[in-house]
Each structure stands twice: as C-alpha cells, then as structure tokens.
Amino acid sequence: MSVQPKIAISRRLRSTPWTSRLHQQGVKGFTVYNHMLLPTEFESLEADYWHLCEHVQVWDVGAERQVELTGPDASKLVQLMTPRDVSKVAIGQCVYVPLVDEGGKLINDPVGLKLGDQTWWLSVADSDVWLWAKGLATGAMLDVSIREPEVWPLAVQGPKAETLMARVFGSDVKDIRFFRFAKLDYQGHAFIVARSGWSKQGGFEIYVDDATLGQAMYDELFAQGEDLNVGPGCPNLIERLESGLLSYGNDMDFAHSPLEAGLGGFLHLDAKIDSLSLPALRRERDAGPTKKIVGLLVPAPYGEMPIAERPFAASSDVDCNFIGSQAWSPRYKHQLASAMVASELLLSDTITIDLLDGTQVEARIADIPFDFAALQIDAAV
Ligand code: THG
C-alpha cells in the first residue's frame, strides 16, 4: 500500500483561525491559495453541492486575503490598477474590480471594498497583489500605504443563510443589499458584513479581524443553525461552474486579458480615468480578441468521464485551447467545462475533445455563464 503524500503545513503555508475545526469536521481536501489553506471538499463534491443549494453552509475562505490601501492616494491607486471606473463607488459598497497590467493582462480579479474616503480593501484571488500595488505606488510616488491585515473572510452561503445570519447578528443583516456591507456587532466587536460570496445561492461574507471572536462566531453559527441543517462547506466547483463564477489561475491567468476572460462588461474602456491598462485594452478591443473563454458541455453518457487535461487543438498560441475547470453537473447531467479557445475554432458550434479514456466526442460550445434554458437543457432533478 502506498503512503499518501502530505503537504507540510508550515508558517509559509498559513492556516486560518478555523483550520483545526475543519479537520474535526472531516475536511477531505485543501488547495493552496494566497499561500494559505483553502478547503475544497467535505462529504463529496456532489453531496456538498446539493447541501449548498438546499440548506446553508459556513465557509472558511480566510485565504481570500485583504490588501489594504490607505492614504490620500488610495483611490488613485485602485483606479490605476483597474479599467473599471471606481470614481462613483460609495463607502459601504463592494465592487468586482479586475486588475490589469500595462500590457492588458489580468493580475487578479478581487472584490474591492471602499471602507472610507482614503481606505480600500482588495479581497484578492490567488496572486500576490500587495507586491504589485507596492511597486506601482513606489514607481508613481503615490501617498498610500499598503499592507495585508490579519483579516479572514468567513462566508455563510445557501438559501437559509439570511435566517442563520439574523440569529447571530440580528435582523439588521436583512437590510444589507447585494454587494453592500455594514458593520454589525458580535460580542461587542463591529465586524464588516457584506451580502456577497462566491456562489449564486445567496449569502453573506463576514470579514473577521479577531481570531478568537472568529472562532466563537464559527461555533455559534453551527449551534444556531442546527435546525437549518447547517454544514461546513467551501467554494463548490460544480455550483460555481454552473453559475459562471470564474477562478483566477484556473479559468484564466496572467496570460489573458479581461476581454478574453469575458469580463469586458465590468470595464469602462472609454471613461476618462487614469488607468494603466486602458491603451492596451483599447487596442485589443479595436483589433478584436484572438481567443475567448467559453463553456463546453458534454452530455451523458460520456459526460461522467472527465475531459483530458491537454490542449484540444494545435495552436501557435500556447495560452489557448485548454480546459480551465470542469465538473459533472448532477442537476443538468452534463460534464461542464470552461475553455479558453482560439477565435477560429469558435466559428463552429462544437469542438472535438478527448475524454480521459481517449474517446473523442463533440463538446457543445456555449457562453459563460451557461444559460441552460436557452440551451434547452432541463434540470434532471
Ligand atoms: N469574496 C471575497 N473575496 C474574493 C472572492 C469572493 N476573492 C477571490 C475571488 N472571490 C474573487 N473573484 C470573484 C469573482 C466573482 C465574484 C466575486 C469574486 C462575484 N461576481 C458576481 C457575478 O459575476 O455575478 C457579481 C459581480 C458584480 O455584480 O460586480 O460575486 O467571492 N470577499
């Protein structure tokens, strides 16, 4: 019998206030995200998926690190980094801000929180944004300080999330609108609570800045949620693919532009803003993108066989014709995937791909997010 290799959890691979609780609750897998542990699975991907869609889950997403920008030039730096116009973002608002470099390539795709006139948090995906931000601020001689504070987001997601949150934080939580945040009291400490999260099942994110209170809060969410069938959870691959939520590093990375990643709708390329990537992105828009992210669908019976993780067509561009993420959807009975595809292959409705066992099948091409109704794919359950 072979020994399962282990990942050594050292100081470099940081835990969160809840890591030991996850072990007690039977976590089955972790990934490494921002040099931290991010759980990926509890019971099974599929069991976790149904539970998330029907009940409520508490997620340790402490790996979504905050990059804090404070000072007179904080907003200027945010605008320099993103081609989305942030000039009208209000204090108390969250905003999805793809960060793009001078060549028009994605650095990260965080949620920004405007905490004050001179303070922002960027709740980052997996790349070292604080180093990029410090470099830019130094080069541009901006009056802003940059650090990663000790903050660990805790997400409460699922259709019963609001009921559970109201029991722990009071009914004020119900007044928080989507992508807004408020400061709510828990045991005498004000926590930032936003209506947001990396699922489309509804819910909240608590930005926990006190580890001890965070542990009490975690335990209380489970105690108060017993009759709601609360369970431990994490971002779920099936649910987020069905919902079209992209994962930086998987679906797209530093080789891709936000236009190729389908994020053009979030950007303001014609705004009069001082943003590093605007010239490159305007040129790309005018020339037309050479590749694009799309969804792929393989129906049952093949669908339960994963798609081979190798380029599905030859190309001189090594940054396309690959599968980004994939999962079997138990609801729609299809293997779902994201793929970055060369534009010439998108003239057709299907793409020939290899399954893991070598079988060749035609995968249907769709937009992300998948519009299952328009695709005439009914939920099987
Ligand atoms: N929450 C917080 N931090 C995060 C994530 C999160 N950091 C990493 C990662 N997730 C960042 N990426 C995303 C991608 C999509 C969304 C949030 C974070 C998202 N998008 C909605 C959509 O696409 O419909 C809403 C976008 C909008 O309306 O602006 O929620 O999840 N704290």
Side-chain angles (χ1 to χ4, degrees), residues 250-298:
N250 288 319
D251 302 308
M252 72 296 192
D253 58 40
F254 52 77
H256 306 109
S257 80
L259 303 177
E260 292 165 344
L263 301 176
F266 292 110
L267 314 182
H268 300 102
L269 298 189
D270 295 314
K272 287 195 169 50
I273 50 176
D274 188 9
S275 189
L276 201 61
S277 58
L278 283 189
L281 290 176
R282 285 175 186 155
R283 277 197 301 277
E284 183 188 331
R285 178 188 58 184
D286 295 346
T290 58
K291 51 184 175 289
K292 201 181 116 188
I293 199 165
V294 294
L296 299 182
L297 299 120
V298 183

Side-chain angles (χ1 to χ4, degrees), residues 81-83 98-102 104-107 132 258 276-277 281:
M81 290 195 286
T82 183
L99 306 184
V100 187
D101 72 11
E102 76 294 344
K105 306 298 184 192
L106 279 163
I107 292 286
W132 169 244
L276 201 61
S277 58
L281 290 176

Side-chain angles (χ1 to χ4, degrees), residues 72 109 198 235 254 277 338 351:
D109 71 329
W198 215 54
F254 52 77
S277 58
S338 74
I351 286 182

Side-chain angles (χ1 to χ4, degrees), residues 33 64 96 109 111 123-125 179 198 200 205 207 245 266:
Y33 196 92
E64 294 168 354
Y96 182 48
D109 71 329
V111 178
S123 185
V124 297
F179 261 49
W198 215 54
K200 291 279 176 188
E205 293 178 299
Y207 290 78
L245 291 167
F266 292 110

Side-chain angles (χ1 to χ4, degrees), residues 278-326:
L278 283 189
L281 290 176
R282 285 175 186 155
R283 277 197 301 277
E284 183 188 331
R285 178 188 58 184
D286 295 346
T290 58
K291 51 184 175 289
K292 201 181 116 188
I293 199 165
V294 294
L296 299 182
L297 299 120
V298 183
Y302 302 113
E304 281 171 275
M305 171 70 65
I307 301 167
E309 301 276 349
R310 54 174 172 261
F312 43 75
S315 171
S316 55
D317 179 351
V318 294
D319 297 312
C320 71
N321 296 346
F322 66 86
I323 300 291
S325 319
Q326 59 171 321

Side-chain angles (χ1 to χ4, degrees), residues 52 59 61 64 94 111 153-158 178-180 194-207 235 239-240 243 245:
L52 168 63
W59 297 0
V61 282
E64 294 168 354
C94 308
V111 178
L154 187 65
V156 179
Q157 300 283 299
F178 182 66
F179 261 49
R180 297 278 170 158
R195 194 185 287 266
S196 57
W198 215 54
S199 85
K200 291 279 176 188
Q201 305 310 309
F204 298 85
E205 293 178 299
I206 310 148
Y207 290 78
E239 197 279 340
R240 71 100 180 157
S243 300
L245 291 167

